[in-house]
Amino acid sequence: MFQHTDDIVDGASRSATTEGPIRHEVFDTLLQVLDDGRLTDGQGRHVDSRNTILILTSNLGSQFLVDQSLNEEQRRERVMNVVRSTFKPEFLNRLDDVIMFDALSTEDLARIVDLQVDKLRKRLADRRLELDVPRPHGARGAVLPGGGGRPRAVGQPPAKARK
């Protein structure tokens, strides 16, 4: 079955986004954690999850978060419609909250790249090496709108948006 908790969450994410409805074993495992506060593997061993905070992430409905023609309320409603059509009510009713994050702007991405480049410069300086990254750097083309936190591979052409 699953070796680690992150296997469960990753399985739920892949199942919900690429294979259609969430797979039953993933769904049942998450419900077991939420209901009983424990996991039981195939050999009957238990893992205590009573004092565990589960943070589940998804890109479900992310296309609506970047849609500038929608106001904040419309974005939330459209995303929640996708979430409700993907997950069963008995699962959603056990969640304390659903938080939606704003999409990162190009300026946000550029600041993140600057911070990471500065961090790398300091590490290289310890080895008496220098790094020169001309501005503007690759932040603009590194992430696809609506793709969430999944960056494009360097040198990979932009994928066409799904409709």
Side-chain angles (χ1 to χ4, degrees), residues 93-107:
N93 290 337
R94 287 171 175 81
L95 300 179
D96 290 331
D97 204 356
V98 175
I99 300 170
M100 285 181 234
F101 294 94
D102 294 329
L104 294 174
S105 69
T106 304
E107 294 79 25

Side-chain angles (χ1 to χ4, degrees), residues 117-133:
V117 168
D118 287 344
K119 208 188 260 188
L120 180 57
R121 273 192 189 112
K122 289 175 186 171
R123 288 178 52 203
L124 291 172
D126 293 342
R127 298 176 182 199
R128 293 182 285 192
L129 297 170
E130 289 183 14
L131 175 66
D132 183 36
V133 179

Side-chain angles (χ1 to χ4, degrees), residues 32-86:
Q32 183 183 8
V33 171
L34 294 169
D35 282 345
D36 303 335
R38 69 179 181 173
L39 282 174
T40 306
D41 69 8
Q43 283 77 41
R45 295 176 294 203
H46 299 287
V47 176
D48 184 0
S49 301
R50 288 177 296 187
N51 296 315
T52 302
I53 296 173
L54 294 177
I55 299 174
L56 308 172
T57 63
S58 174
N59 282 341
L60 288 172
S62 62
Q63 69 272 21
F64 300 116
L65 295 176
V66 296
D67 187 344
Q68 297 301 315
S69 68
L70 301 174
N71 66 35
E72 193 64 34
E73 186 177 318
Q74 291 169 324
R75 286 180 188 149
R76 180 171 182 76
E77 186 55 37
R78 295 222 179 143
V79 169
M80 289 308 298
N81 285 339
V82 174
V83 170
R84 283 190 287 271
S85 69
T86 304

